[in-house]
């Protein structure tokens, strides 16, 4: 089931993250507890009254001079808006309207979606009304005075927001799979792109009328839809400005962030390089599903390697990536390119998969029966009460335990492996949140914690 999306927009330091944390509440804490998750994580689940939705936070980027970086804020905002059903522009009530607010407001007014204006840092109701009144000039309708820190005013604002959001039933089922193709220059990304798209391609930009810089390509194959992300970036290397070997890791990182499935293309002749490892690390950090596409297999001397030996050799250099399928293809001859699509479908399904609490606990019980949790030197034994999947894309499984410190890394890895072996999570990273404290809170309201 899909959920409506609300984008939070605003210049730095107006309180976007504070506001989003308030909306997302304790659920987001579960995800943030995990190591390796960046603070600017974009998608969070939230709810107000009986309505669930997703908030996209465009915060996380903080600069000293906001006007200078407006294009960057706008770019972030643009990507967020492409998927959103409503937007909230957050401004700083104590600072009053700034040119940057004005510019964002002008731009937001041209977008085809409802926009709400949240005037933050209005702790006192009287002052709040005064602060808020300065923002009528942004022409975004009624300014709502709020305090993200204390929560006042957010109720009225959210009442208005949920009134315009489509219900889950009204939203189209999201079938399109976002695919990013990344890898070093000359590994064969463009050739693969051509092999995948063939004749039936159409070009789509994230939002019509926006920068021509990122160009996505939409393709349909056997009734399924795929969006190939930032295909302009894939072809960019020929650009004289950079020279042939320019490798925009930043651009690759952005594409990874927007993807459901990342194709990490590796040159079969060169093997795994340090740059490939960097990309792999980022894919894991962002929680994207992935396929390792070993290209130019036609050019490898098959007498010196079997696929089996070669795969082992490559995997030794891609630690923590054992969940990703590895395909040996030739983009140039088209050999096994259809397998890439099969692997994408599988990885995307695993990424979005939701496993019931009953099944999670069956796996857990079985795992504990084979191998009970360790006992610390002080004689205290770890105890796992139960588990539940708290989030998808990537799957996050929360395990409620007496004390997370009683579980060593080797036991954690064992549990991870059990879940992978028992449930089909091929192609997606799975995260585990070992929770010691908030057990009671979740227990009181188990549906809240598992609903999406
Ligand atoms: P972002 O850059 O827009 O995400 O802003 P942050 O959420 O990081 O907040 C920027 C600063 O504003 C921080 O120092 C917050 O503590 C402060 N802040 C956020 N919300 C409020 C609020 O409601 N009232 C006041 N007085 N300060 C706030
Ligand atoms: P990109 O920089 O990653 O987009 O790489 P290109 O698609 O431009 O390919 C770089 C070079 O590798 C070109 O000369 C391609 O013809 C060649 N190439 C691409 N795929 C294959 C393949 O499957 N086998 C062989 N032998 N060469 C390939």
């Amino acid at each position: 089931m899909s959920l409506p999306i609300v984008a939070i927009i605003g210049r730095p330091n107006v309180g976007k993250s504070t506001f989003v944390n308030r909306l997302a509440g304790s659920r987001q804490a579960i995800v943030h507890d995990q190591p390796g998750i960046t603070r600017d994580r974009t998608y969070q689940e939230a709810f107000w009254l009986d309505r669930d939705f997703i908030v996209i936070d465009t915060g996380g980027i903080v600069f000293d001079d906001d006007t200078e970086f407006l294009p960057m804020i706008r770019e972030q905002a643009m990507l967020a808006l492409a998927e959103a059903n409503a937007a909230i522009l957050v401004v700083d009530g104590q600072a009053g309207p700034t040119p940057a607010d004005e510019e964002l407001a002008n731009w937001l007014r041209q977008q085809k979606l409802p926009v709400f204006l949240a005037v933050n840092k209005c702790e006192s109701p009287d002052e709040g009304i005064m602060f808020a009144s300065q923002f009528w000039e942004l022409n975004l309708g009624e300014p709502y005075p709020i305090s993200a820190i204390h929560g006042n005013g957010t109720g009225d604002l959210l009442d208005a927001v949920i009134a315009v959001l489509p219900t889950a039933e009204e939203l189209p089922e999201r079938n399109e799979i976002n695919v990013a193709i990344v890898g070093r220059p000359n590994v064969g990304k463009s050739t693969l792109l051509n092999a995948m798209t063939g004749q039936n391609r159409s070009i789509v930009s994230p939002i019509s009328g926006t920068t021509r810089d990122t160009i996505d390509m939409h393709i349909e194959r056997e009734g399924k839809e795929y969006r190939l992300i930032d295909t302009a970036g894939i072809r960019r290397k020929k650009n004289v400005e950079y020279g042939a070997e320019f490798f925009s890791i930043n651009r690759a990182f952005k594409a990874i962030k927007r993807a459901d499935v990342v194709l990490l293309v590796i040159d079969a002749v060169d093997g795994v390089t340090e740059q490939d490892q960097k990309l792999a690390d980022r894919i894991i950090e962002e929680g994207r599903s992935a396929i390792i596409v070993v290209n130019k297999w036609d050019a490898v001397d098959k007498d010196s390697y079997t696929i089996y030996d070669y795969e082992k050799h490559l995997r030794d250099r891609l630690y923590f990536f054992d969940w990703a399928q590895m395909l040996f293809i030739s983009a140039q001859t088209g050999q096994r390119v259809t397998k890439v699509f099969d692997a994408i479908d599988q990885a995307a399904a695993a990424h979005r998969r939701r496993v019931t609490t009953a099944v999670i606990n069956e796996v857990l019980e079985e795992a504990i029966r084979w191998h009970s949790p360790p006992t610390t030197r002080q004689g205290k034994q770890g105890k796992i009460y139960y588990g539940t999947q708290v989030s998808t894309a990537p799957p996050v499984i929360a395990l409620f335990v007496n004390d997370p410190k009683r579980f060593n890394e080797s036991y954690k890895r064992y549990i991870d492996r059990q879940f992978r072996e028992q449930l089909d999570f091929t192609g997606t990273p799975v995260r585990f949140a070992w929770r010691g404290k908030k057990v009671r809170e979740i227990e009181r309201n188990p549906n809240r914690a598992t609903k999406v």
Side-chain angles (χ1 to χ4, degrees):
M1 188 174 69
S2 7
L3 288 176
I5 296 177
V6 179
I8 312 296
I9 316 265
R11 60 188 181 84
N13 279 316
V14 292
K16 293 182 299 300
S17 324
T18 311
F19 182 52
V20 167
N21 286 349
R22 170 161 289 280
L23 290 179
S26 64
R27 270 199 258 184
Q28 155 243 321
I30 290 175
V31 180
H32 273 170
D33 253 23
Q34 284 289 99
I37 296 187
T38 48
R39 264 297 286 137
D40 66 338
R41 186 88 187 104
T42 8
Y43 298 78
Q44 312 213 350
E45 289 171 41
F47 62 90
W48 174 244
L49 304 177
D50 61 343
R51 298 294 303 280
D52 288 58
F53 51 92
I54 289 168
V55 260
I56 310 186
D57 179 8
T58 58
I61 35 168
V62 178
F63 302 110
D64 296 335
D65 178 351
D66 33 59
T67 358
E68 189 185 333
F69 289 98
L70 257 178
M72 274 192 218
I73 305 171
R74 216 184 293 117
E75 188 187 326
Q76 290 260 327
M78 224 142 54
L79 295 174
L81 276 197
E83 317 173 84
N85 302 98
I88 301 176
L89 175 65
V90 183
V91 295
D92 184 332
Q94 296 181 4
T98 69
D101 294 335
E102 224 162 277
E103 193 161 330
L104 286 171
N106 286 342
W107 175 74
L108 278 170
R109 255 185 279 112
Q110 293 162 20
Q111 311 302 320
K112 294 187 196 73
L113 86 174
V115 179
F116 297 86
L117 179 57
V119 182
N120 193 30
K121 311 196 183 176
C122 292
E123 273 81 46
S124 117
D126 292 344
E127 263 181 1
I129 292 170
M130 204 176 69
F131 288 157
S133 66
Q134 313 169 81
F135 288 91
W136 280 100
E137 65 180 56
L138 295 184
N139 273 319
L140 286 175
E142 184 184 346
Y144 289 86
I146 66 161
S147 167
I149 286 188
H150 298 289
N152 36 316
T154 53
D156 286 350
L157 169 64
L158 291 174
D159 283 346
V161 173
I162 61 171
V164 305
L165 289 182
T167 62
E169 292 71 35
E170 284 162 358
L171 282 171
E173 195 64 42
R174 193 170 81 88
N175 290 323
E176 196 180 54
I177 301 173
N178 293 323
V179 181
I181 303 176
V182 301
R184 290 180 306 118
N186 283 316
V187 293
K189 295 182 297 299
S190 315
T191 313
L192 176 61
L193 178 71
N194 288 336
M196 286 174 72
T197 54
Q199 295 305 309
N200 44 23
R201 60 174 74 170
S202 60
I203 290 179
V204 284
S205 235
I207 306 182
S208 55
T210 60
T211 160
R212 284 262 139 234
D213 210 34
T214 32
I215 294 175
D216 294 354
M217 223 175 251
H218 179 94
I219 52 174
E220 278 185 41
R221 185 179 172 274
E222 294 177 358
K224 290 186 219 106
E225 297 179 37
Y226 307 84
R227 177 189 279 255
L228 301 176
I229 291 173
D230 191 10
T231 55
I234 296 170
R235 297 201 159 108
R236 181 96 165 231
K237 64 172 179 101
K238 307 261 152 53
N239 197 327
V240 282
E241 248 178 85
Y242 299 113
E245 288 300 304
F246 180 75
F247 174 50
S248 173
I249 197 150
N250 195 34
R251 188 151 196 157
F253 283 0
K254 280 185 190 163
I256 290 170
K257 203 178 183 81
R258 291 176 56 214
D260 297 308
V261 182
V262 181
L263 305 183
L264 176 58
V265 186
I266 286 170
D267 189 316
V269 181
D270 296 344
V272 176
T273 68
E274 206 182 315
Q275 289 169 325
D276 298 322
Q277 287 166 333
K278 269 217 170 75
L279 291 169
D281 287 347
R282 181 52 79 108
I283 293 168
I284 294 168
E285 203 174 293
E286 293 282 357
R288 299 315 192 234
S289 48
I291 297 151
I292 307 166
V293 178
V294 184
N295 189 35
K296 308 194 190 179
W297 187 238
D298 58 295
V300 167
D301 177 9
K302 308 295 186 303
D303 292 335
S304 43
Y305 293 111
T306 63
I307 282 203
Y308 178 83
D309 289 340
Y310 200 60
E311 170 155 359
K312 192 171 168 322
H313 167 73
L314 295 177
R315 282 198 186 275
D316 281 346
R317 305 214 50 204
L318 288 170
Y319 338 98
F320 307 120
F321 224 52
D322 49 344
W323 45 265
Q325 255 196 80
M326 193 177 277
L327 295 177
F328 293 82
I329 71 156
S330 168
Q332 203 161 52
T333 67
Q335 187 192 15
R336 281 194 288 271
V337 169
T338 59
K339 289 265 189 289
V340 175
F341 281 102
D342 297 340
I344 291 172
D345 293 345
Q346 193 184 5
H351 200 229
R352 295 175 187 178
R353 197 146 159 247
R354 178 167 287 284
V355 179
T356 63
T357 300
V359 169
I360 301 254
N361 286 293
E362 226 169 279
V363 174
L364 211 48
E365 267 171 42
E366 187 74 9
I368 295 169
R369 196 155 298 153
W370 282 111
H371 188 3
S372 47
T375 305
T376 62
R377 248 174 269 149
Q378 291 77 28
K380 299 202 166 113
Q381 193 178 25
K383 231 177 131 90
I384 305 179
Y385 301 116
Y386 76 102
T388 187
Q389 185 173 347
V390 290
S391 171
T392 61
V396 179
I397 295 170
L399 299 175
F400 297 94
V401 303
N402 54 352
D403 181 0
K405 287 201 264 327
R406 293 187 192 165
F407 297 85
N408 54 27
E409 282 313 307
S410 107
Y411 196 78
K412 287 181 176 173
R413 271 199 303 275
Y414 163 72
I415 292 292
D416 181 314
R417 227 170 26 244
Q418 288 298 307
F419 273 99
R420 289 199 166 281
E421 280 167 17
Q422 305 303 322
L423 308 171
D424 186 13
F425 280 126
T426 303
T428 180
V430 178
R431 290 176 176 160
F432 290 89
W434 294 74
R435 309 287 301 169
K437 279 184 212 141
K438 295 207 168 155
V439 178
R440 237 161 288 127
E441 185 186 309
I442 305 271
E443 266 177 350
R444 225 187 300 136
N445 206 345
N447 293 332
R448 256 308 25 130
T450 53
K451 203 171 148 194
V452 149

